[in-house]
Amino acid sequence: MAIAIINYRTSNLVIDCLLSLEEQIDINEHCAMLADNVSGGDSVLMLKQSILDNQ
């Protein structure tokens, strides 16, 4: 199963969502895909850093 998340200026909510998914899915059977819709600011950097910090 694949989970798609599209972000537009809601990086904190997306980070919370990804952390919640981590507890609920089997990473060997599922994947999460994240796309940013040109949010601007530091949104992409925040998401990238959060993903790297939680690997």
Side-chain angles (χ1 to χ4, degrees):
M1 174 173 63
I3 300 162
I5 302 169
I6 300 171
N7 178 57
Y8 181 69
R9 297 184 180 179
T10 58
S11 55
N12 289 329
L13 291 175
V14 171
I15 291 167
D16 289 345
C17 177
L18 290 170
L19 291 172
S20 173
L21 286 173
E22 180 181 35
E23 300 169 3
Q24 298 179 37
I25 64 173
D26 179 352
I27 62 170
N28 295 314
E29 296 182 18
H30 305 93
C31 70
M33 298 173 284
L34 173 59
D36 183 78
N37 194 19
V38 193
S39 294
D42 61 349
S43 205
V44 171
L45 292 175
M46 284 178 58
L47 293 167
K48 182 177 181 178
Q49 190 60 52
S50 178
I51 291 168
L52 291 172
D53 289 346
N54 289 289
Q55 285 187 352

